[in-house]
Amino acid sequence: MMSRKPFRFKQFEIFQDKTAMKVGTDGVLLGAWADLKSGNTILDIGTGTGLISLMLAQRFPLSMIDAIEIDNDAFLQATENFSNATFSDRLTIFNLSLQDYSIDKKYDLIVSNPPFFAVNDTVDFDARKQARQQETLTFGELIKKTSELLQKDGLASFIIPYDQMGDFCIIASQNALKLSRVVYIKGNSATVTKRVLLEFGFDEKEVEEKELIIEVDRHQYTENYINLTKDFYLKM
């Protein structure tokens, strides 16, 4: 039986024994980086354990956050993690797909760490990989719904594989979303770019591009990574 020991952050903790999707660097990066320029309504698409929602609740103390999660085990886990948090009164979770999510409001910030295996990838079909499959939520569906739910001056932020950035940005453009910020993420200075943080809005802007290197050496983190995540990790 898996341990009930939670993953502890500075202001909240994450139990993850009931779900295949564990706390990972991708979610932490998005939760620490996504920006809320105005307003206070946030939507977290595919919340998993609830990590990103909890990080945003910590960062933006006036925010009201809705999270959706299609997987029932992950939904129950996130519900537990939300209820344990000191800011639980600002967090609401729905157990349904994005395609079935219908609400009469728009959001100031939408975030997602979306599925990123292509539908025709040859993978073992376990729970973790099912959660990452685009069979349940394609990039097209994600971006179309994001465009529909986003405030006119709102922002949408995602973390995806670098090699899928081109297709993702084309689909975003087809849905009136314009790229405003990019961060290219490398494990260390010698590795290739594996992930990219993307921010979109409806307004045309000069795109701000940066690179983030996570480690100088194994478990020796760069100053930029420490500065981004120090409000959350206990040992930063």
Side-chain angles (χ1 to χ4, degrees), residues 39-158:
N40 62 5
T41 58
I42 299 174
L43 176 65
D44 178 11
I45 298 169
T47 195
T49 59
L51 168 65
I52 295 170
S53 289
L54 288 160
M55 292 180 70
L56 295 173
Q58 175 183 324
R59 289 180 58 207
F60 304 112
L62 299 179
S63 62
M64 301 298 294
I65 301 169
D66 291 337
I68 61 175
E69 176 53 56
I70 188 173
D71 179 79
N72 189 63
D73 288 339
F75 164 77
L76 293 173
Q77 193 94 80
T79 299
E80 176 186 18
N81 291 330
F82 285 180
S83 66
N84 290 337
T86 57
F87 20 76
S88 61
D89 59 328
R90 296 189 283 112
L91 296 158
T92 305
I93 186 167
F94 302 92
N95 186 199
L96 78 176
S97 69
L98 177 62
Q99 295 91 328
D100 292 333
Y101 187 62
S102 179
I103 192 166
D104 187 25
K105 77 175 182 182
K106 291 183 182 289
Y107 292 92
D108 302 300
L109 172 63
I110 297 176
V111 296
S112 184
N113 175 14
F116 54 71
F117 282 124
V119 174
N120 61 356
D121 276 355
T122 302
V123 294
D124 296 328
F125 200 74
D126 61 27
R128 177 179 171 83
K129 288 171 182 172
Q130 181 180 13
R132 311 311 288 163
Q133 281 277 13
Q134 289 191 53
E135 290 175 355
T136 55
L137 180 64
T138 67
F139 282 166
E141 290 168 328
L142 169 63
I143 294 168
K144 183 177 184 294
K145 195 74 170 183
T146 295
S147 181
E148 293 170 356
L149 291 170
L150 191 64
Q151 289 277 19
K152 186 177 180 181
D153 59 349
L155 297 172
S157 296
F158 308 91

Side-chain angles (χ1 to χ4, degrees), residues 204-220:
E204 192 82 52
K205 298 178 181 177
E206 183 176 350
V207 179
E208 176 189 300
E209 295 183 275
K210 293 184 178 179
E211 181 180 75
L212 175 65
I213 297 171
I214 294 175
E215 292 181 323
V216 178
D217 205 346
R218 188 65 176 159
H219 301 307
Q220 294 180 24

